[in-house]
Each structure stands twice: as C-alpha cells, then as structure tokens.
Amino acid sequence: MDCARLWLGLLLPVVAALDFSYHHQPEMEAFLKSISQNYSSITHLHSIGESVEGRNLWVLIVGRFPKEHRIGIPEFKYVANMHGDEAVGRELLLHLIEYLVTSDGRDPEITNLINSTRIHIMPSMNPDGFEAVLKPDCFYNKGRENSNFYDLNRNFPDAFEFNTVPRQPETVAVMKWLNTETFVLSANLHGGALVASYPFDNGVPATGTLYSRSLTPDDDVFQYLARTYASRNPDMRKRNPCRTKIEFPGGIVNGYFWYPLKGGMQDYNYIWAQCFEITLELSCCKYPRKEKLPSFWNENKDSLIDYIKQVHIGVKGQIFDQNGTPLPNVTVEVQDRKHVCPYRTNKFGEYYLLLLPGFYVIEVTVPGHNSHLTEVTIPPKSQNFSALKKDILLPFTGQLDHIPESDPLCPIIPLYRDLQGHSAATKPSLFLFLVTLFHILFK
C-alpha cells in the first residue's frame, strides 16, 4: 500500500464509537445512516424490502465500488437476525461494519479487502421478531418467528420436497435480492449453539441421507469454509462448548447430520442463487445479557474477517465468443461436480467457482454448440485477494439474443427427488459408519 493511501486513512471521518448493547430498529437505522453519510465513498445503504409490519430490511454495502457491480469484484454477504430472538449476530454485524469502515486506509489488510470485494451486510432479516422480544431468554422467545408467526428459515423453496407454507414478505425480499447481485459466498448468523453448519440441511438418498448426512458436490469446499470460521473462534473449536448431547468435532457439522430441516435459506442460496452459504451458530445462549457482547465480538472478529477473504478462492473470469463479446447465461461447471441447477455466467459473462487448490476441467456449454473444455490448476494460495483469473474464449460467435434468460431445468420445485447419487462424497466410509453409529446410539 502506498503512503498516500495511509495518510488518507488518517483524514477519514470519525463517528461516535458503537456501544456494546442491543440496538433496536430506530437506533440501528440511525447508526447505518450515519455510517453511510460519513463513509459515502466506500458504503451504500439501501433497503431490499419491508417486513410484515413495514420495517425496512436494511443492507449496507462496503467496498471501493459500493453502488454498482464491477467486473472481477466478487459479491459477499452476511445476514443476521433471521430468527428475531437470536440477537448476537445482529450486534456483531453492526460492529463489523464499524470495524471495516474505520480500518479502511489504516489497516492494509482491511483496505485490500475493501478494494477487492463488495461486502453486503444485512444486520436484521427479521426486525419484527427482534422488536417482539420483551423479556430476553437464552432458549426461546416469542420473537423467533416473524409477525405472521412463520419461521423464516423454513420459508424458502426446498430442493428435496415441496414447501407449501406461505412465502413471507421478508423471504420474498431476500429471494429478489439474490437475483439482483452475483453473490459468491455468504453466511447467515444464528444463536443457540456454537458451530459452523454447512449444506445440505435437507436431503434424499442421492445426497447420502442413508448414511445420516446430505452432501453437496462441493462438500470439500464447504467443510473448508466451515473450518475456516471455526478455527479462529476459540470456543467454537471446543468439542462441546454448549454441553449438548451432540458434539461437533472441530466446531463444524453437516446440517442434515445435525437435524434435517425443510425450506432453509442456505440450501436455497447454494442451489438457486449460485452462492455458497453456511450457517454460523455463535452463542449457546440465544439472547445473552449485553455485558457478554464484547467477548462475543473479540471471539468472532477474526473469524468474520477471515471468512470474507474466502470469496477469493478458486477461479473466476469471463466467457467470450471469438469476437470478444461477453456471453451471459451460459453454463460453466467443473466436470466432476456439476450442480443440479447448473451454474451460469451473469449478464457480464462472468463466472465464479469456489474451489480448493488442485487440477480441474471447466466445461462451458452454450445452447446449440458443443461443450468447450478448459483445464485449470488452482495454486495453493490466492494472490492479492483474487481468485485465479481465467477468461475463456469460445471458438464461435454467440447469438446472444437466442441464449435463454432463464433455465427451464431449474424451476422453484424439488429438484433432487429422482436424482441418482451425484458425488463420490455420498458413498459410505468406515469413518462415516462409526460416526453414524455413534450418532444413532447417543442422539
């Protein structure tokens, strides 16, 4: 970083430090608006919709280009307070916002992260539920559901079975939001346990449920992502920090293995929004005393930052025809890990594939043409907050008007019902057999 940038950081505006307490909707809005006004060059505040009771669902974007998508800049998001009574994540994201904007120009690592990423932060997906909590409790509060008494983390379309519950305004707003951005990586923050949970949350035999788990084609990446977060959190690393019946070795767990659920947001993100998402359970107590908030921030700050960095693993690029025209909405998949809803380029012809270091064959498919194969080797570490850049030039001229804008193979219905086993990860192993047996005997 050059000296000019560091000196500029010293001249940035200073806002009053955010206190460690629970911030209700008016206080949260005032804080977000203050940040947006005082750091307008790197933030953008907007609402993606309203709750049942008309409260705004605020999102603050932090990035050097916060108001619009830029080619090669991946989109990351954090969402908290999906359950209104799980309040720690809400406050952690407010402190994360403050930490990011006040560190820009002062901390080289944070500055590089802001230069290379658009970070979307939604502190509260269920503001009505949060406001409904009158007497905070560690285990259950009235505000878990939204004002229509629906659990928002059971309200999304499900890839494994029909989810017939009425779609709620908060859920509809999030689904529309996912379609407006090219999100690559995400996490949603909860409370009531200490563990990083990864997809799938629901499943069928094709995904491994006969062995008490449900795995994605990208299981290696998801386990890596979950471990990345858990490894920097001292309490989450413990085998059973909340003293529950189920232990979480290394602080991670497959969602289905823990307990199956229908209509979860992380599965929806991965299947229909092309966004890898995990669920972070950050506190044994759902709504702890405010005096505990400083320790939660100290225990999670490094994990929150490190997890954002993982949006820069793998490979990214654009797909062009032979005239150099970007091709939107063409399928881009790794040969041995294809998704049930194929991943496609965005309107700029961009693709992002989160992958661990190794050798891969990327298959690009344009309707009416043979598939095009490209070999890539991803190095052990990403360079300068960037995935491996691999633009692909196809040996023909694309007819952009004839490429369908939507995929008829990916409607919002169960997609896994008749699928055969899609990954070697779903096959049994001795280790998994022993883990499953332990789970059955001691659950």
Side-chain angles (χ1 to χ4, degrees), residues 160 203-211 213-215 256 416-417 419-422 426-427:
F160 303 95
V204 291
T207 61
T209 58
L210 296 179
Y211 312 107
R213 61 177 177 176
S214 184
L215 306 183
Y256 184 91
Y416 272 94
R417 287 177 299 170
L419 192 70
Q420 298 299 313
H422 65 280
T426 65
K427 296 178 181 179

Side-chain angles (χ1 to χ4, degrees), residues 91-102:
E91 297 306 323
L92 291 186
L93 290 190
L94 295 180
H95 283 277
L96 176 63
I97 288 170
E98 180 185 57
Y99 182 75
L100 289 173
V101 299
T102 57

Side-chain angles (χ1 to χ4, degrees), residues 54-350:
R55 294 184 173 93
N56 278 305
L57 304 177
W58 293 109
V59 173
L60 186 83
I61 306 175
V62 182
R64 192 64 59 198
F65 309 104
K67 292 185 179 180
E68 67 275 339
H69 176 82
R70 292 296 178 99
I71 302 297
I73 303 295
E75 312 281 347
F76 175 93
K77 65 181 170 69
Y78 274 132
V79 176
N81 208 210
M82 191 181 209
H83 293 147
D85 64 337
E86 297 171 3
V88 170
R90 175 187 175 110
E91 297 306 323
L92 291 186
L93 290 190
L94 295 180
H95 283 277
L96 176 63
I97 288 170
E98 180 185 57
Y99 182 75
L100 289 173
V101 299
T102 57
S103 298
D104 182 47
R106 297 183 173 94
D107 183 318
E109 183 179 62
I110 299 301
T111 304
N112 284 334
L113 194 60
I114 290 174
N115 288 343
S116 60
T117 321
R118 287 182 81 223
I119 305 166
H120 304 244
I121 299 177
M122 178 189 281
S124 184
M125 182 179 163
N126 185 5
D128 295 351
F130 180 81
E131 299 300 332
V133 177
L134 301 179
K135 186 178 180 181
D137 186 87
C138 272
F139 303 106
Y140 178 80
N141 290 281
K142 177 184 176 182
R144 175 183 174 89
E145 294 84 11
N146 74 345
S147 288
N148 285 337
F149 305 105
Y150 285 98
D151 186 329
L152 298 179
N153 203 30
R154 308 293 189 275
N155 198 240
F156 285 83
D158 194 273
F160 303 95
E161 54 184 314
F162 284 102
N163 190 13
T164 58
V165 297
R167 206 79 65 219
Q168 296 302 294
E170 298 90 343
T171 309
V172 172
V174 168
M175 291 172 64
K176 289 181 179 178
W177 179 40
L178 297 180
N179 287 330
T180 66
E181 304 282 358
T182 306
F183 287 117
V184 179
L185 180 62
S186 174
N188 65 88
L189 281 57
H190 289 258
L194 264 175
V195 68
S197 174
Y198 58 91
F200 286 120
D201 276 332
N202 205 352
V204 291
T207 61
T209 58
L210 296 179
Y211 312 107
S212 295
R213 61 177 177 176
S214 184
L215 306 183
T216 73
D218 298 291
D219 185 66
D220 58 338
V221 178
F222 273 116
Q223 290 200 40
Y224 164 80
L225 292 170
R227 286 195 181 96
T228 295
Y229 194 95
S231 65
R232 298 301 300 272
N233 184 307
D235 284 339
M236 193 177 287
R237 289 198 307 264
K238 298 175 182 177
R239 193 173 187 90
N240 193 359
C242 297
R243 299 179 183 179
T244 58
K245 293 181 180 180
I246 300 179
E247 295 186 347
F248 305 119
I252 73 171
V253 68
N254 173 250
Y256 184 91
F257 179 84
W258 187 11
Y259 61 90
L261 68 88
K262 178 173 66 175
M265 185 166 70
Q266 72 174 10
D267 286 7
Y268 179 84
N269 268 269
Y270 175 69
I271 292 168
W272 280 289
Q274 302 187 185
C275 177
F276 285 46
E277 176 165 297
I278 67 173
T279 299
L280 300 172
E281 300 280 352
L282 300 179
S283 59
C284 300
C285 181
K286 290 188 176 185
Y287 204 135
R289 292 181 291 110
K290 66 178 182 180
E291 289 80 10
K292 297 286 186 180
L293 291 175
S295 63
F296 283 120
W297 170 243
N298 292 331
E299 291 164 1
N300 286 280
K301 182 183 73 172
D302 292 341
S303 292
L304 289 166
I305 297 297
D306 272 9
Y307 186 75
I308 299 174
K309 295 177 186 176
Q310 307 316 308
V311 77
H312 296 289
I313 67 172
V315 60
K316 67 180 181 181
Q318 286 178 281
I319 309 297
F320 300 97
D321 69 8
Q322 63 183 9
N323 292 331
T325 303
L327 297 178
N329 208 41
V330 301
T331 299
V332 183
E333 297 271 69
V334 174
Q335 265 196 330
D336 63 349
R337 57 177 68 203
K338 295 182 179 179
H339 303 94
V340 67
C341 187
Y343 280 22
R344 294 180 175 272
T345 55
N346 65 12
K347 64 182 180 180
F348 306 108
E350 288 181 288

